[in-house]
Amino acid sequence: MTAPRLSALIVARNEQERLPDCLASVAFADEVVVVLDRSTDASAEIARAAGARVIEGAWELEGERRNTGIAACTGDWILEVDADERVNETLAAAIRATIATSTHAWHQVPVDNYVGDRLIRHGWAGSFGTTSVPRLFRRGAKMWRAQRVHPGLDWTGQEGPKITEGALVHLVDRDISDMLRRLDKYSSAKAADLIASGDIGTLRANVRRFVSRGFKSYVSRKGYREGGWGVLLALCTGAFPLLSYLKAKLEPEKHGGPR
């Protein structure tokens, strides 16, 4: 039998500094597709030089640009990787072994999250970070929804066992300031999604989410084991939905709402 073909999909914007290492880490794939959203740096040249097929364009919604990339892939299986992520050698081998025998539609892959040079294993929760992601899937099994940030997913087929060997190395933030900038960026995009949906929620509900998500991050996900970093993660995890709501409620004109 012919071995299943694997496509690696990278969706990026102005990532010329991080793209080379990302591309090198997915060189084990049979095909690499890079979708560049409104990029103005050397990302396209870097990707083509590495042998990738490049699709350039402008997409307002994250879900739309990711679906464009999925549709462009020709492999039997697709592995989605962001420019700030690297597939380590152990995970690459595990992915090859999985697709060779899997009868399922998709699999979670493990993630190692770094802030600067520090590996933070505990406390990731909600929309601010996760320790596993559903990135390996058969072509046709996954569809992103039309949202700006952390869009939802629609699946066809059954989930298989989580891959446990190796890790997708995620260089989440460079430092604390970078973490806070990400919170600001993500909450602004989420505020726009809330306004577009016509239902931004309530202050009471989002205050409850601030508490429950912070608790989940710090206690249930054992963020306390990371010391001060766990406190930071709990604050950001809880603040994301609350800050998104407040931006949509108090400053709708800045996020696509009526003036």
Side-chain angles (χ1 to χ4, degrees):
M1 294 179 61
T2 304
R5 292 184 70 253
L6 175 67
S7 297
L9 171 62
I10 302 170
V11 178
R13 181 180 183 185
N14 289 337
E15 290 283 6
Q16 64 180 17
E17 294 181 3
R18 296 191 285 193
L19 194 55
D21 287 345
C22 180
L23 287 163
S25 78
V26 297
F28 70 97
D30 300 295
E31 170 189 63
V32 179
V33 176
V34 176
V35 174
L36 296 177
D37 179 27
R38 295 164 285 181
S39 286
T40 56
D41 64 1
S43 293
E45 291 78 4
I46 291 169
R48 291 191 179 100
R53 182 152 53 92
V54 177
I55 300 171
E56 297 184 80
W59 297 269
E60 180 183 358
L61 305 182
E62 179 181 352
E64 291 179 347
R65 58 181 174 266
R66 291 190 178 276
N67 287 336
T68 297
I70 290 173
C73 292
T74 63
D76 303 294
W77 287 81
I78 299 171
L79 173 68
E80 283 187 284
V81 182
D82 290 340
D84 60 356
E85 298 170 340
R86 287 93 180 89
V87 180
N88 68 21
E89 292 183 2
T90 304
L91 177 59
I95 287 171
R96 278 295 187 190
T98 297
I99 66 174
T101 60
S102 177
T103 59
H104 296 88
W106 54 285
H107 298 265
Q108 296 265 350
V109 299
V111 180
D112 281 349
N113 295 292
Y114 284 80
V115 177
D117 295 329
R118 181 184 177 90
L119 172 60
I120 300 179
R121 295 191 179 278
H122 306 95
W124 301 100
S127 299
F128 207 70
T130 181
T131 54
S132 68
V133 285
R135 297 285 190 82
L136 180 66
F137 54 96
R138 292 183 186 274
R139 184 158 52 93
K142 182 178 185 179
M143 180 69 70
W144 291 87
R145 296 176 189 166
Q147 296 165 317
R148 290 169 177 80
V149 61
H150 301 308
L153 293 167
D154 293 315
W155 293 99
T156 300
Q158 297 297 314
E159 178 182 6
K162 175 184 173 181
I163 296 175
T164 58
E165 300 85 9
L168 186 64
V169 177
H170 187 192
L171 309 179
V172 189
D173 301 302
R174 294 176 175 87
D175 50 31
I176 295 172
S177 294
D178 202 26
M179 184 184 294
L180 296 176
R181 283 190 290 267
R182 180 163 64 94
L183 174 61
D184 183 44
K185 177 182 177 182
Y186 281 9
S187 59
S188 290
K190 183 63 176 179
D193 279 340
L194 291 173
I195 292 169
S197 74
D199 181 12
I200 67 170
T202 66
L203 178 61
R204 177 177 295 181
N206 281 286
V207 168
R208 285 199 301 265
R209 294 175 78 190
F210 174 80
V211 174
S212 64
R213 290 192 174 204
F215 181 89
K216 179 180 180 180
S217 171
Y218 194 71
V219 179
S220 302
R221 297 293 177 87
K222 301 180 180 180
Y224 60 85
R225 297 179 62 176
E226 303 289 350
W229 291 102
V231 174
L232 276 168
L233 277 179
L235 285 172
C236 290
T237 300
F240 172 67
L242 178 58
L243 189 56
S244 301
Y245 162 80
L246 291 171
K247 287 182 176 182
K249 177 68 174 180
L250 303 178
E251 298 179 338
E253 70 283 354
K254 293 186 177 181
H255 308 286
R259 294 183 179 275

